Amino acid sequence: MTSPPIALSIAASDPSGGAGIQADLKAFSANGAYGTAVLTALTAQNTQGVSGIHTVPPAFVTEQLDTLFADVPVDAVKIGMLADAAIAEAVAEALERHRPRYVVLDPVMVSTSGHRLLEADAVTVLRDRLLPLADLITPNLPEAGDLLGTAAARNRAEAIEQAHSLLKTGARRVLLKGGHHTHDAESVDILVDATDASGSGVTELSAPRVNTRNTHGTGCTLSAAIAALRPQHDDWHTTVSAAKAYLTGALRAADTLHIGRGHGPVHHFYQYWS
C-alpha cells in the first residue's frame, strides 16, 4: 500500500471546530492526507466571535515542532494563526532547521468577527522571516494590504499590483483571495508565481460565488487543502485549482450543517456524508 502524504498544521485551536487546527485536520483528511498538528494558541471562540486567546510559550512551540520532525516525515506544512512575534520567530527557526518540502502560509491576522489575531509587531516577523520560507502565501485582500502597510486592493489591477509587491518581499508565489469583493457574481482568486518563466506568471481562478453566511474557516480550509493536495499534484496551479474546487463544494453544502447561531463552518466532509 502507498502511504498517504503527511501534512502538518501549525496554528491555533478553535473549539467550535470551524477554523484553525480543527478545520485544517478535517481538510487534510477530506483531501487524502494524514494530518498532524502543532498548536500555537488556544482560543475561546464560537460561530459568533472570539472572546479570548491564550498563547502557547514559544519554547514549547519549538519543542512540539522538533519532537514531531524527529520522528514523522512531514511532506507539507500549513501555517495559520501565530498570535505574536516570538511564536512567529520560533516557527521560522524550526522551518529553517527542518526544511519541509512544501510550506503554505496563511497570514491569519483578523477573524471574520473582527477580532485581532496577530499582534502588530508580529506582522514584521511574518513578512521578513516567514514569507521567504513559504512556497505559497494565501492572504485575503485586507491581509495583503496589512502586510504591505497599505489599504486593501479595490479592483483587479490593484490586487495584481499588491500580489507582485508581496513577491518582492520574498514570497515565491501568492494566492490573493478575492472573496472580499462581495459585489461580484464570481469569486476570483489571483495566483502570481515568481518562478513562472512563461510570462507574467498571473493566473485568475474563478468560481461562482456561493450565497451563504456560513463561511467560518474558509481561509484555513483552503490553505490546508492546498497543503494536503500539493504532494499529490505535479504543480501549484493544478493544486490550487483542486483546492478551490473543494472549498466551493464545502461552501455550497455549508447550510446543511446548522452549527451555531453565527457564521457557521463550511462542510469539510460534504463528499462523504449523505
Side-chain angles (χ1 to χ4, degrees), residues 124-178:
T124 300
V125 179
L126 191 73
R127 183 180 59 242
D128 297 346
R129 296 281 283 118
L130 281 168
L131 259 65
L133 296 173
D135 297 287
L136 175 72
I137 64 171
T138 62
N140 59 34
L141 297 173
E143 289 164 348
D146 208 346
L147 284 169
L148 294 168
T150 187
R154 295 165 296 179
N155 52 52
R156 175 184 178 276
E158 290 183 359
I160 293 175
E161 181 181 356
Q162 289 193 4
H164 280 292
S165 295
L166 287 169
L167 291 181
K168 293 176 183 177
T169 68
R172 297 182 184 90
R173 299 166 192 86
V174 178
L175 178 66
L176 188 51
K177 298 174 293 189

Side-chain angles (χ1 to χ4, degrees), residues 29-255:
S29 296
N31 287 282
Y34 179 86
T36 62
V38 165
L39 268 72
T40 58
L42 307 177
T43 69
Q45 68 174 295
N46 55 29
T47 64
Q48 300 180 78
V50 180
S51 63
I53 298 173
H54 181 72
T55 58
V56 175
F60 194 67
V61 173
T62 297
E63 185 175 352
Q64 291 180 77
L65 287 165
D66 288 346
T67 301
L68 178 66
F69 276 106
D71 178 55
V72 177
V74 173
D75 295 296
V77 174
K78 173 264 168 81
I79 304 171
M81 177 181 159
L82 297 174
D84 62 35
I87 292 174
E89 184 66 39
V91 171
E93 291 175 355
L95 293 180
E96 287 174 340
R97 283 194 302 277
H98 300 293
R99 295 291 177 179
R101 185 176 182 186
Y102 302 116
V103 176
V104 178
L105 172 61
D106 184 20
V108 178
M109 296 181 176
V110 180
S111 70
T112 303
S113 59
H115 193 103
R116 185 84 189 177
L117 300 176
L118 186 71
E119 294 180 1
D121 60 345
V123 176
T124 300
V125 179
L126 191 73
R127 183 180 59 242
D128 297 346
R129 296 281 283 118
L130 281 168
L131 259 65
L133 296 173
D135 297 287
L136 175 72
I137 64 171
T138 62
N140 59 34
L141 297 173
E143 289 164 348
D146 208 346
L147 284 169
L148 294 168
T150 187
R154 295 165 296 179
N155 52 52
R156 175 184 178 276
E158 290 183 359
I160 293 175
E161 181 181 356
Q162 289 193 4
H164 280 292
S165 295
L166 287 169
L167 291 181
K168 293 176 183 177
T169 68
R172 297 182 184 90
R173 299 166 192 86
V174 178
L175 178 66
L176 188 51
K177 298 174 293 189
H180 282 73
H181 286 157
T182 54
H183 57 279
D184 295 336
E186 296 283 311
S187 175
V188 180
D189 299 336
I190 296 172
L191 177 63
V192 181
D193 190 342
T195 69
D196 187 348
S198 64
S200 66
V202 177
T203 303
E204 293 189 15
L205 303 168
S206 180
R209 187 174 299 280
V210 179
N211 183 23
T212 178
R213 70 193 299 263
N214 296 317
T215 58
H216 184 51
T218 51
C220 301
T221 298
L222 179 63
S223 55
I226 292 170
L229 290 167
R230 182 60 186 91
Q232 305 176 62
H233 289 271
D234 292 332
D235 56 62
W236 286 99
H237 180 272
T238 55
T239 297
V240 172
S241 296
K244 185 173 175 67
Y246 162 73
L247 177 61
T248 300
L251 281 163
R252 284 174 174 158
D255 291 354

